Amino acid sequence: MMFWDGRWDGYGHSGWGWFAMSVSMLLFLALIVLVVLLLVRAFSRGGSAAFWERPAPPGAPGTVRASAEQILAERFARGEIDEEEYHRRLAALRGAPPGTAG
């Protein structure tokens, strides 16, 4: 006969059985959360855009390709290159002889 008052009679769970079930359920839920986090991280590695916001391919209608001068200006604004380097590369892009600012 099965008793519902928590006594061990061969069919129910003892105190250790409840403990083991609780721990295994927490581990199972932690595994599910870990898998979801890893999937989100794997799909969002392509930059700041999420995996559902894929960038348009180059040359697609409606896309604007940044010019080399714009990219150079952005690098200067971010502090990746100094003013001398910026002017030198800008002159090279514009076809000016080295040493003269365009």
Side-chain angles (χ1 to χ4, degrees):
M1 177 177 238
M2 189 170 188
F3 299 99
W4 294 99
D5 59 356
R7 293 183 289 166
W8 174 254
D9 61 350
Y11 297 103
H13 297 286
S14 68
W16 286 110
W18 287 108
F19 176 76
M21 277 194 327
S22 300
V23 169
S24 63
M25 188 59 161
L26 288 174
L27 289 174
F28 179 72
L29 291 174
L31 179 67
I32 290 175
V33 169
L34 179 67
V35 167
V36 168
L37 288 175
L38 289 175
L39 284 173
V40 168
R41 183 176 174 199
F43 282 115
S44 64
R45 282 189 182 236
S48 61
F51 64 92
W52 57 84
E53 297 174 355
R54 292 286 180 214
T63 58
V64 177
R65 186 172 163 91
S67 71
E69 290 184 10
Q70 289 172 330
I71 295 171
L72 185 62
E74 289 173 6
R75 290 187 61 200
F76 177 62
R78 284 193 300 261
E80 294 177 8
I81 58 176
D82 61 1
E83 187 176 0
E84 180 183 335
E85 180 76 10
Y86 170 74
H87 287 298
R88 187 176 61 79
R89 291 183 181 213
L90 186 62
L93 284 174
R94 292 182 176 167
T100 62

